[in-house]
Amino acid sequence: MYEIWLMLVIVWELMLSSGTWLWAAAGVWLALMAVGIVRHGVSWQRGAVKAAGLGVLTTVVAFFVLPGMVASSMGELRYWVDWLALAGMAIGIGAAVAVFTWPVWTTLSRRPARTG
């Protein structure tokens, strides 16, 4: 239980120390969403499907790449909390990619014009 609490405290402190970057990212995301809302004839559903696919792909890649990025390896993950932390980080990265690419894919995915 101590390890879980420690992990949560570390995540909280990292969030507090990078608050400016989080606000900047939120502003960029809102700007991207505004561009998608303003454009007519876009398909939010088609954009969401593409963004979700890219998010899942990014999650899988991040799961295997993250240990090497911090000079570790999969063999070093011996405790279930380590695996949970790795999965959580990979899911977070994949979700961030999906959330930021959703309005981009939406803006690029126009519905076909209706005829008749």
Side-chain angles (χ1 to χ4, degrees):
M1 187 68 179
Y2 172 75
E3 290 87 359
I4 296 172
W5 180 251
L6 180 63
M7 184 175 61
L8 291 174
V9 168
I10 290 170
V11 168
W12 176 255
E13 291 296 326
L14 286 172
M15 187 181 72
L16 288 178
S17 68
S18 59
T20 305
W21 290 107
L22 291 174
W23 283 109
V28 168
W29 182 76
L30 286 173
L32 289 171
M33 291 296 285
V35 169
I37 290 171
V38 169
R39 292 197 65 183
H40 297 288
V42 296
S43 174
W44 286 95
Q45 184 177 9
R46 199 174 328 159
V49 169
K50 289 179 180 180
L54 185 60
V56 168
L57 178 66
T58 304
T59 298
V60 171
V61 170
F63 186 83
F64 292 106
V65 170
L66 276 172
M69 291 177 66
V70 294
S72 184
S73 68
M74 291 290 202
E76 296 292 324
L77 304 174
R78 294 185 182 10
Y79 192 48
W80 67 271
V81 174
D82 298 334
W83 289 99
L84 183 66
L86 176 60
M89 287 184 280
I91 290 169
I93 291 169
V97 167
V99 164
F100 277 90
T101 58
W102 179 35
V104 174
W105 283 115
T106 296
T107 303
L108 297 175
S109 300
R110 290 182 164 264
R111 289 188 211 120
R114 293 184 188 203
T115 57

